[in-house]
Amino acid sequence: MAPFIFLALIFIVLDWYTYTSIRQIVGEGKFSRIFPWVYGLISILGYYSLVNLMMSQSQGPFGTRTMMLNLMIGFVFTLFVAKFIFTILMSVHDIGRLLIGLFNWTRFKVVEDYQADSFVPSRRSFLTRAATVIAGIPFLTMLYGITKGKYNYTVEKVVLTFKDLPKSFDGFKLVQISDIHSGSFDSKESVKAGIDMINELEADIVCFTGDLVNSEKEEIDPYIEIFANIKAKEGKYAIYGNHDYYGTYDRDSEQSKELYFRDFEKKYEQMGFDLIKNAHRTITRADESIKLVGVENWGAGRWFPKKGDLDEATSGMEKDSFNVLLSHDPTHWDEKVLAYDTHMHLTLSGHTHGFQFGFQMGGFKWSPAQYRYQRWLGLYQVADKYLYVNRGFGFLGFPGRVGMWPEITLIELRSA
């Protein structure tokens, strides 16, 4: 409750500053009569959403989301970001005005009749309008992100050529999805539309690279039948992500842990996924084969589970096999995979979500994620080893996506 009260106080300060600043450029025209009502209505909706979020949090974790709860979370966050940006921009302007005023007061304090209120220059309406436009851009884009963007599934197509890919696997189609985060979903129809897009790709195999839920295994229950409809000619495979370990069970009881994850694994079975835990699978065509290696989560950050074990996963494998590795966290690639004795031709990861905010235009990409992760989106190559980082199928925290749309990846393997 305390964080929400603190947030409410910040909202009040931002609201007062934003309202008084914009009110000056509205002036006395026709819009000036309705401006207080428009601004007040938007602010009331924001406070209403914040109060409802306080009540929801006081009753326990959010759990499976409803559309209204997601809209409230997104609207509060969107308002906060827009008003915060506006306040920062106007504060820079106002600090400049105060410094000029201080200079004027120092310069003219010997003049007895000089009016004190003339020391500080008035705000420039142009700068206030510019700040309003700049703050309005994230406001509008984030509104789109919480209504449409979070389900704006896009297909990224990648073709990779390998000299040692078995000839019978030339043209092999691998579809990757990652970071489902089913506890954040609020629309079965929208999720089903994403599944339909997967099936249209006619994949040979479908690989899911972790984070099925936000924390509790029951979050996937309403969507089991939907994900069970994913079709793949030669199998569907999955691994755990860091969020898949955060469920509620007695951490001091091995029996409680075993019962929890036994039930969790059944949910993968019901969806038709083969859950790979530090092991490998052999996919055979004609008399040739490739290996699909799956490790549990391993993240470089000290707060992430380090359960991935490459030695265990590759035990008994042929030294010259063609290998595709499923590893949720892309930091694993730099920290362990690149220098590992067994050659991993292609590693598939997720985890970053592209921070659910950013830009992709042609070869240019930007997101705050790049300041946290060295490998955060798309294809990377070091020598003859590839890493692909998927930006995720679902969303977490902020219930939306801006620019970093949910991704379905189609990777076609070709033999040189």
Side-chain angles (χ1 to χ4, degrees), residues 47-104:
Y47 288 115
Y48 172 80
S49 299
L50 186 60
V51 169
N52 274 275
L53 293 180
M54 289 182 187
M55 296 176 63
S56 299
Q57 185 67 7
S58 67
Q59 297 170 7
F62 289 131
T64 301
R65 304 280 181 83
T66 62
M67 185 173 292
M68 183 57 65
L69 182 59
N70 267 339
L71 286 174
M72 287 191 295
I73 296 171
F75 190 62
V76 168
F77 189 76
T78 298
L79 277 179
F80 178 82
V81 169
K83 291 177 181 179
F84 182 78
I85 291 174
F86 179 84
T87 299
I88 291 296
L89 294 173
M90 290 304 299
S91 295
V92 173
H93 180 38
D94 287 343
I95 290 172
R97 292 171 55 232
L98 290 173
L99 290 175
I100 294 173
L102 178 62
F103 174 79
N104 289 339

Side-chain angles (χ1 to χ4, degrees), residues 12 31 64 81 83 93 97 122 182 203 233 283 297 316 332 336 350 354 366 371 382 392 401:
I12 292 171
F31 183 64
T64 301
V81 169
K83 291 177 181 179
H93 180 38
R97 292 171 55 232
S122 60
S182 54
K233 300 173 185 176
I283 301 173
N297 189 79
H332 191 212
K336 299 287 185 180
W366 176 89
Y371 306 114
V382 173
R401 284 179 173 268

Side-chain angles (χ1 to χ4, degrees), residues 16 90 110 176 247 251 307 309 312 317 329 397 404 413:
W16 172 81
M90 290 304 299
V110 295
Q176 180 198 8
R251 294 299 198 272
K307 297 179 179 292
D309 189 330
E312 182 179 352
M317 281 175 41
D329 192 322
M404 291 291 147
L413 305 182

Side-chain angles (χ1 to χ4, degrees), residues 241-261:
N242 56 299
H243 278 265
D244 298 320
Y245 300 99
Y246 298 157
T248 303
Y249 58 90
D250 185 355
R251 294 299 198 272
D252 297 323
S253 170
E254 283 298 321
Q255 183 180 12
S256 177
K257 176 181 177 181
E258 182 180 348
L259 289 173
Y260 179 91
F261 283 100

Side-chain angles (χ1 to χ4, degrees), residues 78 135-145:
T78 298
I137 293 173
F139 179 75
L140 295 175
T141 56
M142 291 173 71
L143 280 183
Y144 177 82

